[in-house]
Short mmCIF file of all heavy atoms in Angstrom, two decimals:
data_model
loop_
_atom_site.label_atom_id
_atom_site.label_comp_id
_atom_site.label_asym_id
_atom_site.label_seq_id
_atom_site.Cartn_x
_atom_site.Cartn_y
_atom_site.Cartn_z
N MET A 9 -266.55 -116.69 44.56
CA MET A 9 -267.38 -115.45 44.75
C MET A 9 -268.17 -115.14 43.53
O MET A 9 -267.71 -115.11 42.46
CB MET A 9 -266.39 -114.39 45.10
CG MET A 9 -266.99 -113.09 45.47
SD MET A 9 -265.81 -111.84 46.04
CE MET A 9 -266.37 -110.43 45.26
N LYS A 10 -269.53 -114.92 43.80
CA LYS A 10 -270.36 -114.50 42.73
C LYS A 10 -270.20 -113.14 42.34
O LYS A 10 -269.83 -112.26 43.11
CB LYS A 10 -271.86 -114.75 43.21
CG LYS A 10 -272.22 -116.21 43.48
CD LYS A 10 -273.68 -116.32 43.68
CE LYS A 10 -274.05 -117.78 43.90
NZ LYS A 10 -275.37 -117.93 44.20
N LYS A 11 -270.46 -112.78 41.10
CA LYS A 11 -270.29 -111.49 40.61
C LYS A 11 -271.46 -110.65 41.06
O LYS A 11 -272.59 -111.07 41.38
CB LYS A 11 -270.11 -111.44 39.10
CG LYS A 11 -271.37 -111.82 38.35
CD LYS A 11 -271.09 -111.63 36.88
CE LYS A 11 -272.39 -112.05 36.18
NZ LYS A 11 -272.94 -110.65 35.66
N ASP A 12 -271.25 -109.32 41.09
CA ASP A 12 -272.28 -108.40 41.51
C ASP A 12 -273.49 -108.32 40.57
O ASP A 12 -273.23 -108.58 39.41
CB ASP A 12 -271.70 -107.06 41.72
CG ASP A 12 -270.79 -106.90 42.84
OD1 ASP A 12 -270.98 -107.65 43.89
OD2 ASP A 12 -269.92 -106.00 42.80
N ILE A 13 -274.58 -108.11 41.00
CA ILE A 13 -275.88 -108.08 40.17
C ILE A 13 -275.96 -106.63 39.76
O ILE A 13 -275.98 -105.73 40.53
CB ILE A 13 -276.97 -108.55 41.04
CG1 ILE A 13 -276.93 -109.90 41.47
CG2 ILE A 13 -278.27 -108.34 40.12
CD1 ILE A 13 -277.88 -110.44 42.55
N THR A 14 -276.17 -106.53 38.44
CA THR A 14 -276.34 -104.95 37.87
C THR A 14 -277.81 -104.87 37.55
O THR A 14 -278.55 -105.73 37.30
CB THR A 14 -275.53 -104.86 36.59
OG1 THR A 14 -275.92 -105.82 35.54
CG2 THR A 14 -273.99 -105.13 36.95
N TYR A 15 -278.18 -103.56 37.54
CA TYR A 15 -279.48 -103.15 37.25
C TYR A 15 -279.92 -103.52 35.80
O TYR A 15 -280.96 -103.95 35.58
CB TYR A 15 -279.55 -101.66 37.35
CG TYR A 15 -280.93 -101.00 37.12
CD1 TYR A 15 -281.93 -101.19 37.96
CD2 TYR A 15 -281.15 -100.06 36.08
CE1 TYR A 15 -283.24 -100.78 37.79
CE2 TYR A 15 -282.31 -99.56 35.88
CZ TYR A 15 -283.39 -99.82 36.65
OH TYR A 15 -284.61 -99.31 36.59
N ASP A 16 -278.90 -103.51 34.95
CA ASP A 16 -279.14 -103.92 33.51
C ASP A 16 -279.55 -105.36 33.47
O ASP A 16 -280.42 -105.81 32.54
CB ASP A 16 -277.93 -103.52 32.54
CG ASP A 16 -277.76 -102.06 32.42
OD1 ASP A 16 -278.75 -101.36 32.55
OD2 ASP A 16 -276.70 -101.70 32.23
N GLU A 17 -278.85 -106.22 34.11
CA GLU A 17 -279.17 -107.53 34.24
C GLU A 17 -280.55 -107.84 34.59
O GLU A 17 -281.29 -108.68 34.12
CB GLU A 17 -278.16 -108.32 35.05
CG GLU A 17 -276.82 -108.53 34.53
CD GLU A 17 -275.87 -109.24 35.48
OE1 GLU A 17 -276.00 -108.90 36.75
OE2 GLU A 17 -275.05 -109.99 35.03
N LEU A 18 -281.02 -107.11 35.76
CA LEU A 18 -282.47 -107.34 36.15
C LEU A 18 -283.37 -106.90 35.09
O LEU A 18 -284.39 -107.46 34.95
CB LEU A 18 -282.57 -106.47 37.53
CG LEU A 18 -281.81 -107.10 38.69
CD1 LEU A 18 -281.85 -106.06 39.83
CD2 LEU A 18 -282.38 -108.35 39.13
N LEU A 19 -283.07 -105.83 34.42
CA LEU A 19 -283.98 -105.30 33.47
C LEU A 19 -284.15 -106.11 32.38
O LEU A 19 -285.02 -106.13 31.41
CB LEU A 19 -283.59 -103.88 32.95
CG LEU A 19 -283.85 -102.80 34.08
CD1 LEU A 19 -283.42 -101.45 33.39
CD2 LEU A 19 -285.42 -102.72 34.26
N GLU A 20 -283.10 -107.04 31.95
CA GLU A 20 -283.16 -108.01 30.93
C GLU A 20 -284.31 -109.06 31.28
O GLU A 20 -284.96 -109.61 30.38
CB GLU A 20 -281.73 -108.80 30.66
CG GLU A 20 -280.75 -107.85 30.03
CD GLU A 20 -279.43 -108.43 29.89
OE1 GLU A 20 -279.35 -109.68 30.26
OE2 GLU A 20 -278.51 -107.83 29.55
N LYS A 21 -284.34 -109.34 32.59
CA LYS A 21 -285.39 -110.38 33.03
C LYS A 21 -286.71 -109.80 33.10
O LYS A 21 -287.78 -110.38 32.79
CB LYS A 21 -284.88 -111.01 34.33
CG LYS A 21 -283.55 -111.69 34.25
CD LYS A 21 -283.71 -112.91 33.44
CE LYS A 21 -282.41 -113.82 33.54
NZ LYS A 21 -282.52 -115.15 32.86
N ILE A 22 -286.87 -108.58 33.71
CA ILE A 22 -288.10 -107.88 33.78
C ILE A 22 -287.91 -106.51 33.32
O ILE A 22 -287.41 -105.59 33.98
CB ILE A 22 -288.44 -107.80 35.31
CG1 ILE A 22 -288.66 -109.24 35.97
CG2 ILE A 22 -289.76 -107.06 35.46
CD1 ILE A 22 -289.11 -109.24 37.40
N PRO A 23 -288.30 -106.29 32.02
CA PRO A 23 -287.86 -104.99 31.34
C PRO A 23 -288.58 -103.68 31.83
O PRO A 23 -288.17 -102.67 31.42
CB PRO A 23 -288.28 -105.37 29.95
CG PRO A 23 -289.25 -106.41 29.95
CD PRO A 23 -289.02 -107.17 31.29
N ASN A 24 -289.48 -103.81 32.76
CA ASN A 24 -290.25 -102.60 33.14
C ASN A 24 -289.79 -102.29 34.55
O ASN A 24 -289.95 -103.06 35.57
CB ASN A 24 -291.73 -102.70 33.09
CG ASN A 24 -292.48 -101.51 33.55
OD1 ASN A 24 -292.24 -100.85 34.54
ND2 ASN A 24 -293.40 -101.12 32.63
N LYS A 25 -289.16 -101.07 34.84
CA LYS A 25 -288.56 -100.76 36.18
C LYS A 25 -289.62 -100.62 37.24
O LYS A 25 -289.33 -100.99 38.38
CB LYS A 25 -287.67 -99.49 36.09
CG LYS A 25 -288.47 -98.29 35.84
CD LYS A 25 -287.56 -97.03 35.66
CE LYS A 25 -288.14 -95.78 35.40
NZ LYS A 25 -287.41 -94.60 35.32
N TYR A 26 -290.67 -100.22 36.86
CA TYR A 26 -291.82 -100.14 37.89
C TYR A 26 -292.32 -101.68 38.11
O TYR A 26 -292.55 -101.83 39.54
CB TYR A 26 -292.95 -99.35 37.34
CG TYR A 26 -292.55 -98.02 36.89
CD1 TYR A 26 -292.55 -97.63 35.62
CD2 TYR A 26 -292.20 -96.97 37.95
CE1 TYR A 26 -292.12 -96.36 35.29
CE2 TYR A 26 -291.74 -95.77 37.50
CZ TYR A 26 -291.67 -95.46 36.17
OH TYR A 26 -291.19 -94.26 35.97
N ILE A 27 -292.53 -102.44 37.35
CA ILE A 27 -292.90 -103.90 37.66
C ILE A 27 -291.74 -104.53 38.41
O ILE A 27 -291.97 -105.21 39.37
CB ILE A 27 -293.24 -104.69 36.40
CG1 ILE A 27 -294.54 -104.08 35.72
CG2 ILE A 27 -293.49 -106.07 36.70
CD1 ILE A 27 -294.88 -104.53 34.43
N LEU A 28 -290.52 -104.29 38.01
CA LEU A 28 -289.34 -104.83 38.76
C LEU A 28 -289.35 -104.53 40.19
O LEU A 28 -289.16 -105.37 41.12
CB LEU A 28 -288.09 -104.43 38.13
CG LEU A 28 -286.75 -104.88 38.79
CD1 LEU A 28 -286.55 -106.40 38.75
CD2 LEU A 28 -285.60 -104.24 38.06
N THR A 29 -289.73 -103.28 40.42
CA THR A 29 -289.87 -102.69 41.88
C THR A 29 -290.90 -103.38 42.60
O THR A 29 -290.82 -103.88 43.70
CB THR A 29 -290.14 -101.24 41.89
OG1 THR A 29 -288.95 -100.63 41.16
CG2 THR A 29 -290.19 -100.72 43.24
N ILE A 30 -292.06 -103.62 42.00
CA ILE A 30 -293.29 -104.11 42.67
C ILE A 30 -292.99 -105.62 43.00
O ILE A 30 -293.18 -106.20 44.12
CB ILE A 30 -294.50 -104.05 41.89
CG1 ILE A 30 -294.96 -102.49 41.77
CG2 ILE A 30 -295.70 -104.86 42.35
CD1 ILE A 30 -296.08 -102.23 40.80
N VAL A 31 -292.46 -106.37 41.95
CA VAL A 31 -292.18 -107.84 42.14
C VAL A 31 -291.06 -107.99 43.20
O VAL A 31 -291.37 -108.81 44.04
CB VAL A 31 -291.77 -108.45 40.67
CG1 VAL A 31 -291.15 -109.77 40.91
CG2 VAL A 31 -292.91 -108.37 39.83
N GLY A 32 -290.09 -107.24 43.10
CA GLY A 32 -289.04 -107.36 44.05
C GLY A 32 -289.46 -107.07 45.50
O GLY A 32 -289.03 -107.74 46.40
N GLY A 33 -290.29 -106.01 45.67
CA GLY A 33 -290.82 -105.59 46.93
C GLY A 33 -291.74 -106.72 47.55
O GLY A 33 -291.56 -107.05 48.74
N GLU A 34 -292.56 -107.22 46.77
CA GLU A 34 -293.52 -108.31 47.16
C GLU A 34 -292.75 -109.44 47.68
O GLU A 34 -293.03 -110.12 48.72
CB GLU A 34 -294.53 -108.77 46.13
CG GLU A 34 -295.51 -107.63 45.91
CD GLU A 34 -296.42 -108.11 44.72
OE1 GLU A 34 -296.30 -109.04 44.26
OE2 GLU A 34 -297.38 -107.24 44.43
N ARG A 35 -291.61 -109.97 46.94
CA ARG A 35 -290.99 -111.07 47.28
C ARG A 35 -289.96 -110.83 48.44
O ARG A 35 -289.84 -111.74 49.28
CB ARG A 35 -290.09 -111.44 46.05
CG ARG A 35 -289.29 -112.75 46.22
CD ARG A 35 -290.18 -114.02 46.56
NE ARG A 35 -289.32 -115.10 46.82
CZ ARG A 35 -289.45 -116.12 47.66
NH1 ARG A 35 -290.65 -116.21 48.17
NH2 ARG A 35 -288.64 -117.02 47.79
N ALA A 36 -289.51 -109.67 48.59
CA ALA A 36 -288.65 -109.30 49.72
C ALA A 36 -289.52 -109.40 51.06
O ALA A 36 -289.18 -109.90 52.09
CB ALA A 36 -288.07 -107.90 49.59
N ARG A 37 -290.69 -108.98 50.97
CA ARG A 37 -291.77 -109.06 52.16
C ARG A 37 -291.99 -110.60 52.52
O ARG A 37 -291.96 -110.93 53.64
CB ARG A 37 -292.99 -108.29 51.86
CG ARG A 37 -292.87 -106.68 52.00
CD ARG A 37 -294.17 -106.08 51.91
NE ARG A 37 -294.66 -105.96 50.62
CZ ARG A 37 -294.31 -105.21 49.74
NH1 ARG A 37 -293.48 -104.28 49.89
NH2 ARG A 37 -295.01 -105.23 48.50
N GLU A 38 -292.03 -111.37 51.44
CA GLU A 38 -292.29 -112.72 51.77
C GLU A 38 -291.06 -113.35 52.40
O GLU A 38 -291.19 -114.10 53.38
CB GLU A 38 -292.60 -113.46 50.36
CG GLU A 38 -293.97 -113.30 49.75
CD GLU A 38 -294.11 -113.82 48.34
OE1 GLU A 38 -293.23 -114.59 48.00
OE2 GLU A 38 -295.09 -113.67 47.75
N LEU A 39 -289.88 -113.06 51.84
CA LEU A 39 -288.72 -113.53 52.54
C LEU A 39 -288.44 -113.05 53.96
O LEU A 39 -288.12 -113.85 54.84
CB LEU A 39 -287.43 -113.14 51.76
CG LEU A 39 -287.35 -113.98 50.39
CD1 LEU A 39 -286.08 -113.37 49.66
CD2 LEU A 39 -287.08 -115.32 50.57
N HIS A 40 -288.81 -111.83 54.19
CA HIS A 40 -288.75 -111.32 55.52
C HIS A 40 -289.72 -112.02 56.42
O HIS A 40 -289.43 -112.08 57.61
CB HIS A 40 -289.00 -109.71 55.41
CG HIS A 40 -288.82 -109.07 56.76
ND1 HIS A 40 -287.53 -108.90 57.37
CD2 HIS A 40 -289.63 -108.56 57.65
CE1 HIS A 40 -287.67 -108.32 58.52
NE2 HIS A 40 -289.03 -108.13 58.73
N ALA A 41 -290.89 -112.41 55.92
CA ALA A 41 -291.82 -113.10 56.72
C ALA A 41 -291.48 -114.54 57.01
O ALA A 41 -292.11 -115.14 57.73
CB ALA A 41 -293.27 -112.99 56.11
N GLY A 42 -290.52 -114.97 56.38
CA GLY A 42 -289.93 -116.40 56.63
C GLY A 42 -290.02 -117.34 55.49
O GLY A 42 -289.83 -118.47 55.63
N ALA A 43 -290.40 -116.82 54.21
CA ALA A 43 -290.40 -117.76 53.19
C ALA A 43 -288.98 -118.23 52.86
O ALA A 43 -288.01 -117.68 53.14
CB ALA A 43 -290.89 -117.03 51.94
N THR A 44 -288.92 -119.43 52.32
CA THR A 44 -287.53 -120.04 51.89
C THR A 44 -287.12 -119.57 50.65
O THR A 44 -287.94 -119.42 49.70
CB THR A 44 -287.82 -121.67 51.73
OG1 THR A 44 -288.39 -122.14 52.98
CG2 THR A 44 -286.41 -122.29 51.46
N PRO A 45 -285.87 -119.13 50.49
CA PRO A 45 -285.31 -118.56 49.25
C PRO A 45 -285.32 -119.74 48.27
O PRO A 45 -285.13 -120.88 48.45
CB PRO A 45 -283.77 -118.26 49.68
CG PRO A 45 -283.81 -118.02 51.16
CD PRO A 45 -284.80 -118.98 51.64
N LEU A 46 -285.58 -119.29 46.92
CA LEU A 46 -285.68 -120.31 45.87
C LEU A 46 -284.18 -120.59 45.20
O LEU A 46 -284.17 -121.50 44.47
CB LEU A 46 -286.51 -119.76 44.73
CG LEU A 46 -287.95 -119.38 45.11
CD1 LEU A 46 -288.73 -118.74 44.08
CD2 LEU A 46 -288.67 -120.66 45.65
N THR A 47 -283.27 -119.89 45.56
CA THR A 47 -281.95 -120.05 45.08
C THR A 47 -281.02 -120.17 46.29
O THR A 47 -281.31 -119.66 47.37
CB THR A 47 -281.46 -119.00 44.19
OG1 THR A 47 -281.41 -117.73 44.78
CG2 THR A 47 -282.22 -118.97 42.90
N LYS A 48 -279.85 -120.70 46.05
CA LYS A 48 -278.78 -120.74 47.11
C LYS A 48 -278.21 -119.33 47.33
O LYS A 48 -277.75 -118.76 46.31
CB LYS A 48 -277.69 -121.72 46.75
CG LYS A 48 -276.65 -122.08 47.74
CD LYS A 48 -275.75 -123.19 47.42
CE LYS A 48 -274.84 -123.39 48.38
NZ LYS A 48 -273.90 -124.49 48.14
N THR A 49 -278.09 -118.94 48.48
CA THR A 49 -277.54 -117.58 48.92
C THR A 49 -276.80 -117.65 50.19
O THR A 49 -276.89 -118.63 50.74
CB THR A 49 -278.68 -116.53 49.02
OG1 THR A 49 -279.64 -117.09 50.15
CG2 THR A 49 -279.71 -116.31 47.94
N ALA A 50 -275.91 -116.62 50.29
CA ALA A 50 -275.17 -116.59 51.50
C ALA A 50 -275.96 -116.01 52.79
O ALA A 50 -277.01 -115.41 52.42
CB ALA A 50 -273.98 -115.65 51.42
N LYS A 51 -275.65 -116.39 53.91
CA LYS A 51 -276.48 -115.95 55.06
C LYS A 51 -276.30 -114.55 55.36
O LYS A 51 -277.30 -114.00 55.76
CB LYS A 51 -275.91 -116.81 56.32
CG LYS A 51 -276.20 -118.28 56.40
CD LYS A 51 -276.00 -118.81 57.71
CE LYS A 51 -276.33 -120.25 57.66
NZ LYS A 51 -276.97 -120.69 58.85
N LYS A 52 -275.28 -113.86 54.88
CA LYS A 52 -275.10 -112.48 55.07
C LYS A 52 -275.89 -111.67 54.06
O LYS A 52 -276.15 -110.40 54.15
CB LYS A 52 -273.75 -112.05 55.10
CG LYS A 52 -272.93 -112.26 53.79
CD LYS A 52 -271.54 -111.75 53.94
CE LYS A 52 -270.92 -111.83 52.47
NZ LYS A 52 -269.66 -111.40 52.51
N ASP A 53 -276.43 -112.32 53.01
CA ASP A 53 -277.19 -111.52 51.95
C ASP A 53 -278.43 -110.92 52.42
O ASP A 53 -279.21 -111.60 53.37
CB ASP A 53 -277.56 -112.47 50.75
CG ASP A 53 -276.39 -112.78 50.04
OD1 ASP A 53 -275.34 -112.08 50.02
OD2 ASP A 53 -276.41 -113.58 49.04
N THR A 54 -278.87 -109.71 52.07
CA THR A 54 -280.05 -109.10 52.60
C THR A 54 -281.22 -109.75 51.71
O THR A 54 -280.96 -110.45 50.75
CB THR A 54 -280.00 -107.61 52.34
OG1 THR A 54 -279.92 -107.55 50.77
CG2 THR A 54 -278.83 -106.97 52.96
N ASP A 55 -282.43 -109.51 52.23
CA ASP A 55 -283.57 -110.13 51.57
C ASP A 55 -283.63 -109.63 50.08
O ASP A 55 -283.95 -110.34 49.25
CB ASP A 55 -284.99 -109.72 52.18
CG ASP A 55 -285.07 -110.37 53.55
OD1 ASP A 55 -284.35 -111.48 53.76
OD2 ASP A 55 -285.70 -109.90 54.44
N LEU A 56 -283.36 -108.24 49.88
CA LEU A 56 -283.43 -107.81 48.54
C LEU A 56 -282.34 -108.35 47.63
O LEU A 56 -282.62 -108.65 46.48
CB LEU A 56 -283.28 -106.25 48.59
CG LEU A 56 -283.81 -105.56 47.38
CD1 LEU A 56 -285.10 -105.97 46.96
CD2 LEU A 56 -283.68 -104.10 47.58
N LYS A 57 -281.08 -108.65 48.07
CA LYS A 57 -280.16 -109.24 47.31
C LYS A 57 -280.53 -110.74 46.93
O LYS A 57 -280.29 -111.28 45.94
CB LYS A 57 -278.75 -109.33 48.10
CG LYS A 57 -277.68 -109.76 47.21
CD LYS A 57 -276.26 -109.35 47.76
CE LYS A 57 -275.21 -109.61 46.78
NZ LYS A 57 -273.94 -109.22 47.26
N LYS A 58 -281.21 -111.38 47.96
CA LYS A 58 -281.78 -112.70 47.57
C LYS A 58 -282.82 -112.70 46.48
O LYS A 58 -282.72 -113.56 45.60
CB LYS A 58 -282.39 -113.39 48.88
CG LYS A 58 -281.35 -113.74 49.88
CD LYS A 58 -282.03 -114.24 51.13
CE LYS A 58 -281.02 -114.37 52.40
NZ LYS A 58 -281.52 -114.77 53.62
N VAL A 59 -283.61 -111.68 46.64
CA VAL A 59 -284.79 -111.56 45.50
C VAL A 59 -283.92 -111.22 44.25
O VAL A 59 -284.35 -111.82 43.17
CB VAL A 59 -285.52 -110.37 45.85
CG1 VAL A 59 -286.53 -110.01 44.76
CG2 VAL A 59 -286.45 -110.65 47.03
N PHE A 60 -283.08 -110.38 44.18
CA PHE A 60 -282.38 -110.21 42.82
C PHE A 60 -281.69 -111.36 42.32
O PHE A 60 -281.72 -111.68 41.12
CB PHE A 60 -281.27 -108.97 42.99
CG PHE A 60 -281.78 -107.68 43.41
CD1 PHE A 60 -280.99 -106.66 43.96
CD2 PHE A 60 -283.01 -107.37 43.07
CE1 PHE A 60 -281.43 -105.43 44.17
CE2 PHE A 60 -283.52 -106.08 43.22
CZ PHE A 60 -282.76 -105.15 43.84
N ARG A 61 -281.06 -112.21 43.19
CA ARG A 61 -280.54 -113.38 42.69
C ARG A 61 -281.56 -114.34 42.20
O ARG A 61 -281.40 -114.91 41.11
CB ARG A 61 -279.61 -114.06 43.91
CG ARG A 61 -279.09 -115.37 43.52
CD ARG A 61 -278.09 -115.51 42.45
NE ARG A 61 -277.06 -114.43 42.59
CZ ARG A 61 -276.37 -113.94 41.59
NH1 ARG A 61 -276.52 -114.35 40.45
NH2 ARG A 61 -275.51 -112.95 41.85
N GLU A 62 -282.79 -114.46 42.85
CA GLU A 62 -283.85 -115.26 42.24
C GLU A 62 -284.21 -114.88 40.93
O GLU A 62 -284.64 -115.55 40.06
CB GLU A 62 -285.01 -115.25 43.35
CG GLU A 62 -284.76 -115.95 44.60
CD GLU A 62 -285.87 -115.85 45.52
OE1 GLU A 62 -286.76 -115.03 45.39
OE2 GLU A 62 -285.89 -116.54 46.61
N ILE A 63 -284.40 -113.44 40.66
CA ILE A 63 -284.75 -112.88 39.47
C ILE A 63 -283.83 -113.28 38.36
O ILE A 63 -284.14 -113.69 37.29
CB ILE A 63 -285.03 -111.37 39.56
CG1 ILE A 63 -286.36 -111.03 40.39
CG2 ILE A 63 -285.08 -110.85 38.15
CD1 ILE A 63 -286.51 -109.72 40.75
N ILE A 64 -282.63 -113.20 38.65
CA ILE A 64 -281.47 -113.37 37.61
C ILE A 64 -281.41 -114.83 37.33
O ILE A 64 -281.16 -115.19 36.07
CB ILE A 64 -280.06 -113.02 38.22
CG1 ILE A 64 -280.04 -111.57 38.43
CG2 ILE A 64 -278.98 -113.47 37.38
CD1 ILE A 64 -280.05 -110.64 37.14
N ASP A 65 -281.68 -115.69 38.30
CA ASP A 65 -281.74 -117.14 38.08
C ASP A 65 -282.92 -117.59 37.42
O ASP A 65 -283.09 -118.85 37.23
CB ASP A 65 -281.45 -117.90 39.39
CG ASP A 65 -280.03 -117.72 39.88
OD1 ASP A 65 -279.24 -117.22 39.13
OD2 ASP A 65 -279.86 -118.04 41.19
N GLY A 66 -284.00 -116.69 37.13
CA GLY A 66 -285.20 -117.13 36.54
C GLY A 66 -286.27 -117.75 37.39
O GLY A 66 -287.10 -118.39 36.86
N LYS A 67 -286.15 -117.66 38.68
CA LYS A 67 -286.92 -118.25 39.63
C LYS A 67 -288.27 -117.34 39.83
O LYS A 67 -289.26 -117.85 40.34
CB LYS A 67 -286.31 -118.63 40.92
CG LYS A 67 -285.19 -119.48 40.88
CD LYS A 67 -285.49 -120.92 40.38
CE LYS A 67 -284.25 -121.88 40.48
NZ LYS A 67 -284.51 -123.12 40.21
N ILE A 68 -288.08 -116.07 39.64
CA ILE A 68 -289.18 -115.11 39.87
C ILE A 68 -289.45 -114.40 38.60
O ILE A 68 -288.38 -113.97 37.88
CB ILE A 68 -288.67 -114.06 41.03
CG1 ILE A 68 -288.31 -114.63 42.18
CG2 ILE A 68 -289.73 -112.97 41.03
CD1 ILE A 68 -289.53 -115.08 43.06
N HIS A 69 -290.66 -114.31 38.07
CA HIS A 69 -291.05 -113.63 37.03
C HIS A 69 -292.48 -113.13 37.07
O HIS A 69 -293.06 -113.32 38.16
CB HIS A 69 -290.88 -114.55 35.66
CG HIS A 69 -291.75 -115.88 35.82
ND1 HIS A 69 -291.42 -116.80 36.76
CD2 HIS A 69 -292.84 -116.22 35.13
CE1 HIS A 69 -292.43 -117.70 36.62
NE2 HIS A 69 -293.25 -117.41 35.57
N TYR A 70 -293.00 -112.46 36.10
CA TYR A 70 -294.29 -112.05 36.07
C TYR A 70 -295.04 -112.17 34.89
O TYR A 70 -294.34 -112.51 33.78
CB TYR A 70 -294.22 -110.52 36.48
CG TYR A 70 -294.01 -109.62 35.22
CD1 TYR A 70 -295.06 -108.98 34.62
CD2 TYR A 70 -292.69 -109.47 34.83
CE1 TYR A 70 -294.63 -108.27 33.46
CE2 TYR A 70 -292.41 -108.72 33.69
CZ TYR A 70 -293.44 -108.04 33.02
OH TYR A 70 -293.13 -107.38 31.92
N GLU A 71 -296.38 -112.19 34.82
CA GLU A 71 -297.19 -112.26 33.66
C GLU A 71 -298.05 -111.02 33.62
O GLU A 71 -298.69 -110.58 34.61
CB GLU A 71 -297.97 -113.51 33.54
CG GLU A 71 -297.14 -114.75 33.53
CD GLU A 71 -298.00 -116.05 33.51
OE1 GLU A 71 -299.28 -115.84 33.20
OE2 GLU A 71 -297.46 -117.12 33.71
N GLU A 72 -298.07 -110.49 32.39
CA GLU A 72 -299.05 -109.25 32.29
C GLU A 72 -300.42 -109.76 31.96
O GLU A 72 -300.65 -110.83 31.34
CB GLU A 72 -298.62 -108.51 31.00
CG GLU A 72 -297.67 -107.50 31.42
CD GLU A 72 -297.36 -106.51 30.12
OE1 GLU A 72 -298.39 -105.96 29.58
OE2 GLU A 72 -296.31 -106.43 29.76
N ASP A 73 -301.42 -109.07 32.66
CA ASP A 73 -302.89 -109.39 32.30
C ASP A 73 -303.20 -108.59 31.09
O ASP A 73 -302.78 -107.45 30.95
CB ASP A 73 -303.68 -108.89 33.48
CG ASP A 73 -303.44 -109.59 34.79
OD1 ASP A 73 -303.18 -110.83 34.57
OD2 ASP A 73 -303.80 -109.12 35.81
N LYS A 74 -303.94 -109.32 30.23
CA LYS A 74 -304.27 -108.69 29.04
C LYS A 74 -305.80 -108.54 28.90
O LYS A 74 -306.54 -109.14 29.41
CB LYS A 74 -303.76 -109.48 27.85
CG LYS A 74 -302.27 -109.49 27.85
CD LYS A 74 -301.81 -109.90 26.50
CE LYS A 74 -300.29 -109.88 26.61
NZ LYS A 74 -299.52 -109.99 25.50
#
């Protein structure tokens, strides 16, 4: 059984809570539309939990425009 994902773990990967929300929402919409998950997940996991697992595993990240 995998351990629960905490908010602090997510903020270690994407340190801005607003960007975390935007990135997570965009990816959740992609998964809901039928995109393939980038990490192994359980069938009962929600789209958002799949997104969180992808972020923790380093499959999802963002780059700042400068």
Side-chain angles (χ1 to χ4, degrees):
M9 183 171 136
K10 292 185 179 181
K11 68 180 188 101
D12 290 335
I13 300 168
T14 65
Y15 183 63
D16 292 331
E17 289 175 322
L18 292 169
L19 286 177
E20 287 175 9
K21 298 292 184 172
I22 300 178
N24 185 309
K25 65 182 178 181
Y26 301 109
I27 294 174
L28 176 63
T29 302
I30 292 168
V31 169
E34 287 178 1
R35 182 63 181 149
R37 282 189 288 279
E38 290 174 4
L39 288 173
H40 186 72
T44 305
L46 300 174
T47 60
K48 189 174 181 179
T49 57
K51 289 190 179 219
K52 67 178 183 174
D53 286 347
T54 64
D55 289 338
L56 200 53
K57 191 165 186 177
K58 292 175 186 176
V59 171
F60 291 161
R61 178 61 48 205
E62 291 175 346
I63 292 171
I64 295 296
D65 291 345
K67 304 290 184 175
I68 302 285
H69 59 292
Y70 78 102
E71 292 182 17
E72 270 188 55
D73 290 338
K74 295 193 179 198

